[in-house]
Amino acid sequence: QTSRECTEANGSMRPGDICVAIGDNPHYVDVTIAHSDLSSNARLARNSPAHPQVGADAYAKEADKFRKYGAASYDWRPEEVFVPFAMDSNGFMTESAHTFLKAVALEAKNNGGGRPQ
């Protein structure tokens, strides 16, 4: 389901662009893309002290989503998972985005899909 809010079976609304069930936990994924002024080659040097700002724009967008929809500012039930899926225009993904993709791959594997890497 894709919309600005996800509709649950009981009709209630939750924020998120994509709603995904992983195991018994509904995941509400809010996608955000930051424009990066860094060249695409800079992303290859993300661990370099010369480019400490690589990913900074994506992490700033992620922080905005946590402020807006995180546990302190939204009434989430214990089984619900909010995922700010943030990346920048050069393809850099935050740790939250990577973790979510790994969880989706594992769920696919456990349900007869491909092998996660």
Side-chain angles (χ1 to χ4, degrees):
Q1 179 176 349
T2 59
S3 70
R4 296 306 304 160
E5 291 185 318
C6 298
T7 306
E8 296 183 312
N10 67 5
S12 66
M13 304 296 281
R14 290 286 191 239
D17 298 310
I18 303 167
C19 305
V20 179
I22 299 178
D24 293 332
N25 301 97
H27 287 62
Y28 299 92
V29 184
D30 199 348
V31 178
T32 185
I33 310 295
H35 174 70
S36 177
D37 291 331
L38 297 174
S39 71
S40 58
N41 289 336
R43 115 181 124 75
L44 299 175
R46 74 176 62 152
N47 295 324
S48 166
H51 298 287
Q53 71 275 29
V54 172
D57 297 325
Y59 277 109
K61 289 278 199 176
E62 179 184 76
D64 289 344
K65 294 294 183 179
F66 272 125
R67 273 191 295 279
K68 187 172 182 182
Y69 299 121
S73 60
Y74 198 84
D75 185 27
W76 294 103
R77 292 189 303 265
E79 70 276 9
E80 295 175 321
V81 179
F82 173 68
V83 179
F85 192 97
M87 57 188 302
D88 71 19
S89 55
N90 287 319
F92 177 89
M93 282 191 279
T94 64
E95 189 61 33
S96 294
H98 279 280
T99 299
F100 173 71
L101 290 179
K102 288 177 187 177
V104 169
L106 183 60
E107 182 74 5
K109 177 187 177 209
N110 291 339
N111 288 291
R115 181 182 63 174
Q117 297 290 328

